[in-house]
Amino acid sequence: MSAVGSKAEEFEQLRPLLFAIAYRILGSVVEAEDAVQETWLRFEATQTEPVSTKAFLSAVVTRVSIDVLRSARVRREEYVGPWFPEPLIADPYDDPARSAELADSVSMAALLLLERLSPLERAVFVLREVFHFEYDEIASAVGRSEDACRQLASRARRHMDAGKPRFDADRREREQLAERFFAALRDGELGQLQDLLAADVQIIGDGGGKAPAFARGVTGLDRVIRVLEGLVPAVAAVDLGVEPHEVNGEPGAILRDADGRVIGTLALDILGGRVQTIRGVLNPDKLRHLGPVGDAWAVNRDVNRARRHGV
């Protein structure tokens, strides 16, 4: 096998890990894929053989991701409405012994909490707390001393622990509750939906100004039920598909229009046997990696028309 072929094989074996690191740092599927591609180009161009290919590639993808995040943070400050991560449907990196922990680390709640950290803190936290890299490897990756990385990790851990998202421990119970939730949503069973929602339930959406969404959020059981009372029957009338699917390691669904095009995703935070938060991503720019994207505005017009006609 040629040197290039050997390099490519090594890289492909590590690609899932590299993407997993980049996504947790960036919160964007597209940007993470770009960071991984840039890492390959740098690896392909290097003339020296690293002592550890895993350490070398992890360091490169981390540095690339930090640079991308620094510029992305400026754009996110100007974002219209709430900013949510791009929905991740399947994490390519898998460790059966840590599957629940890895899934929780890509939850919408966890990634939004990571947004509060500086790019360096976020990278150090991801490498240390999620992927268990040693401090000498982290220091090499981020260009800081080991002591500085320990301090960054400690500071990041305090921030994360202070707002750490809580989930029901039994993932199967969460999945079963989500199945009931989406079945009730599809069938328009408002009574069943109400039984599954927490008293302080919230619906909030990321439309980025490019799709209808509950940008300011709707909070409280009574208010959410009033929204659903008007929405659920109309959604059924326009044949909006609700396809249950894990989204960012959480129970969720992909929303599709009558032609099967992606309209958005929903992810559920579940605690105490109730749905606490419903997060929707409808910005079409964040959905293109999932397949052909439909027109959420057109669906919204059809829903409103159905509501006016008492459907």
Side-chain angles (χ1 to χ4, degrees):
M1 182 181 294
S2 69
V4 173
S6 178
K7 266 191 172 182
E9 185 175 310
E10 281 187 288
F11 185 85
E12 288 305 316
Q13 289 175 348
L14 290 165
R15 182 187 286 273
L17 171 63
L18 301 178
F19 174 86
I21 291 171
Y23 179 77
R24 286 164 174 82
I25 294 174
L26 292 167
S28 165
V29 172
V30 173
E31 288 175 347
E33 289 173 343
D34 288 346
V36 171
Q37 180 61 23
E38 176 63 22
T39 299
W40 161 248
L41 294 175
R42 296 188 187 187
F43 182 46
E44 186 182 34
T46 187
Q47 299 300 312
T48 57
E49 185 173 341
V51 175
S52 166
T53 302
K54 176 184 174 182
F56 175 83
L57 293 176
S58 298
V60 173
V61 82
T62 297
R63 292 189 207 112
V64 171
S65 298
I66 289 172
D67 289 342
V68 172
L69 182 59
R70 283 175 173 148
S71 61
R73 284 167 75 91
V74 176
R75 296 194 301 274
R76 290 174 192 178
E77 288 172 0
E78 300 170 350
Y79 195 79
V80 177
W83 180 93
F84 289 167
E86 287 183 9
L88 180 67
I89 300 303
D91 189 347
Y93 180 74
D94 184 36
D95 180 349
R98 300 177 57 234
S99 58
E101 180 186 350
L102 289 168
D104 287 348
S105 73
V106 291
S107 71
M108 288 283 182
L111 292 174
L112 289 171
L113 197 54
L114 281 170
E115 283 291 303
R116 302 179 187 180
L117 306 181
S118 72
L120 268 180
E121 288 172 340
R122 184 166 180 166
V124 169
F125 182 87
V126 166
L127 292 177
R128 180 62 184 172
E129 300 299 322
V130 180
F131 296 103
H132 300 170
F133 278 66
E134 298 298 331
Y135 277 108
D136 60 337
E137 297 174 307
I138 298 171
S140 174
V142 302
R144 295 291 189 275
S145 68
E146 288 187 44
D147 283 344
C149 289
R150 291 178 191 277
Q151 292 174 6
L152 286 164
S154 178
R155 190 158 62 239
R157 199 179 302 115
R158 285 197 302 273
H159 284 302
M160 294 297 289
D161 287 345
K164 188 175 182 179
R166 297 178 299 154
F167 303 104
D168 281 349
D170 191 320
R171 296 187 67 84
R172 182 55 191 155
E173 287 183 8
R174 283 159 56 184
E175 291 167 0
Q176 290 173 342
L177 187 145
E179 289 171 5
R180 291 164 57 200
F181 174 87
F182 288 118
L185 187 65
R186 283 194 307 268
D187 298 339
E189 296 291 343
L190 291 168
Q192 291 182 28
L193 277 174
Q194 183 166 348
D195 292 340
L196 300 174
L197 302 176
D200 57 349
V201 63
Q202 180 183 41
I203 300 178
I204 189 165
D206 172 352
K210 300 181 178 183
F214 296 109
R216 295 188 179 182
V218 177
T219 303
L221 181 58
D222 289 343
R223 294 182 66 198
V224 169
I225 287 297
R226 282 199 296 272
V227 169
L228 294 177
E229 282 175 347
L231 191 61
V232 169
V235 165
V238 300
D239 197 23
L240 183 68
V242 181
E243 180 182 301
H245 209 297
E246 191 173 86
V247 177
N248 284 82
E250 303 169 283
I254 298 174
L255 306 179
R256 298 184 184 275
D257 65 15
D259 295 320
R261 295 171 299 192
V262 179
I263 294 298
T265 63
L266 298 177
L268 308 181
D269 286 354
I270 296 173
L271 183 66
R274 294 288 186 273
V275 175
Q276 300 282 329
T277 308
I278 306 167
R279 291 188 179 88
V281 176
L282 293 97
N283 183 341
D285 296 342
K286 295 186 176 184
L287 302 171
R288 302 192 193 285
H289 63 284
L290 301 179
V293 177
D295 185 345
W297 288 114
V299 171
N300 189 59
R301 287 193 296 271
D302 290 343
V303 166
N304 287 334
R305 189 178 301 115
R307 292 171 68 175
R308 286 196 300 271
H309 288 82
V311 175

